[in-house]
Amino acid sequence: MMESIARFTRAIVCPPADSYAKGLTNAALGPPDLTLARTQHAAYCAALQQLGVQLTVLPAAPAYPDSTFVEDTAIVTAKGAILCRPGASSRAGEVHSMHAALERLLAHDVAAITEPGTVDGGDICQAGNHFFIGLSARTNDAGADQLGRWLHGKGYTSSTISIRNDPTLLHLKSGLTWLGGIQLLVAPALAQRAVLGNNDLTVTAPGEEYAANAVLINGGVLMAEGYPETAARVAALGHQVIPLAMSEFQKMDGGLSCLSIRVP
Ligand code: CIR
């Protein structure tokens, strides 16, 4: 039986650093406006707080331009946490500050993906007691194997989905969000995947693929603003949609889920 809700007490975030525009991107949407990115980040943090989430704010890290995308550095579950080993070499060092934060916050030990494995947290979609693990340019087979074994040891199940042939998806969660129970929000690129077949799929509206990355948290669904048809589809499922401006993160290939690690 799947857990049908996503409840979190805390979230870890990290504001964009001065070097933010030097991060990795294929988006071709132009350089981000740092001031606006910080304003959007602050609104994201405020939305989490309004949902009853207590924030742990890591100091901005100029040595790591992509460090605001904290989600890629760890996976935190109700039964333990595991540090990722990001697939982009420029991001490898981001795990150190996350490790220290998790050691401070969590009662249990923090495991780690080890060489030769690589895993980006953006490729990992928790759906109740099941985890979808994306195989991508960032998450390799060895990393997926390590993570799968760790999850199974905790009593979770997992399955893999390759997105390696899909240039529209950086990470699995760029195109996939759990909406509770057997509800999934998906980009069209994932709508025909057999591994998702036992679920109820809500597909993003044409031209609104970016809206597939959303966050179900404490009775709300954070969604990128500007995708009205998809927001209406999610609201029609009975969800409270909370729209947030994301333009400056989209320019750096980031989405809503990337900006926090949610802690049960
Ligand atoms: C990167 O390419 O790693 C960053 N510019 C964007 C990471 C987005 N993270 C995510 O989807 N989980």
Side-chain angles (χ1 to χ4, degrees):
M1 178 67 184
M2 239 186 199
E3 282 173 34
S4 61
I5 52 168
R7 293 249 157 238
F8 300 95
T9 59
R10 186 179 284 278
I12 305 170
V13 296
C14 179
D18 289 345
S19 60
Y20 176 57
K22 297 201 173 87
L24 303 169
T25 185
N26 289 311
L29 294 171
D33 175 326
L34 180 59
T35 303
L36 185 52
R38 287 179 169 147
T39 301
Q40 293 179 349
H41 193 267
Y44 177 89
C45 291
L48 290 174
Q49 287 174 311
Q50 287 221 325
L51 290 164
V53 173
Q54 193 180 341
L55 296 183
T56 296
V57 183
L58 304 182
Y64 299 107
D66 282 309
S67 52
T68 194
F69 301 115
V70 285
E71 173 182 66
D72 294 317
T73 61
I75 295 145
V76 178
T77 77
K79 299 176 187 173
I82 184 164
L83 277 186
C84 294
R85 194 163 170 268
S89 55
S90 65
R91 303 198 57 189
E94 290 177 30
V95 298
H96 301 306
S97 61
M98 183 55 64
H99 192 187
L102 292 174
E103 295 267 335
R104 279 195 302 274
L105 286 177
L106 304 178
H108 33 66
D109 287 347
V110 179
I113 300 295
T114 55
E115 200 177 357
T118 62
V119 171
D120 272 18
D123 280 318
I124 314 307
C125 180
Q126 181 172 6
N129 292 319
H130 187 77
F131 285 74
F132 296 106
I133 301 176
L135 304 174
S136 70
R138 301 287 179 87
T139 295
N140 66 17
D141 289 22
D145 282 354
Q146 288 178 29
L147 178 61
R149 273 186 270 115
W150 182 81
L151 288 169
H152 296 173
K154 300 280 175 199
Y156 293 115
T157 57
S158 69
S159 50
T160 57
I161 307 180
S162 178
I163 57 162
R164 289 185 186 138
N165 291 328
D166 193 328
T168 67
L169 301 175
L170 172 64
H171 288 122
L172 177 63
K173 277 191 293 195
S174 311
L176 178 66
T177 298
W178 182 56
L179 292 179
I182 59 167
Q183 293 178 352
L184 297 175
L185 174 64
V186 296
L190 297 176
Q192 306 302 328
R193 296 303 185 92
V195 69
L196 303 179
N198 291 333
N199 296 275
D200 284 342
L201 305 187
T202 298
V203 183
T204 56
E208 297 193 358
E209 293 77 9
Y210 181 71
N213 179 271
V215 178
L216 172 72
I217 180 165
N218 296 359
V221 179
L222 308 182
M223 292 192 73
E225 93 180 355
Y227 303 95
E229 179 56 35
T230 306
R233 291 177 188 182
V234 171
L237 297 170
H239 293 293
Q240 180 202 358
V241 171
I242 299 157
L244 288 169
M246 285 295 292
S247 62
E248 304 317 296
F249 298 108
Q250 188 175 12
K251 287 175 180 173
M252 302 307 288
D253 284 340
L256 285 158
S257 69
C258 328
L259 292 178
S260 62
I261 287 187
R262 283 78 59 196
V263 180

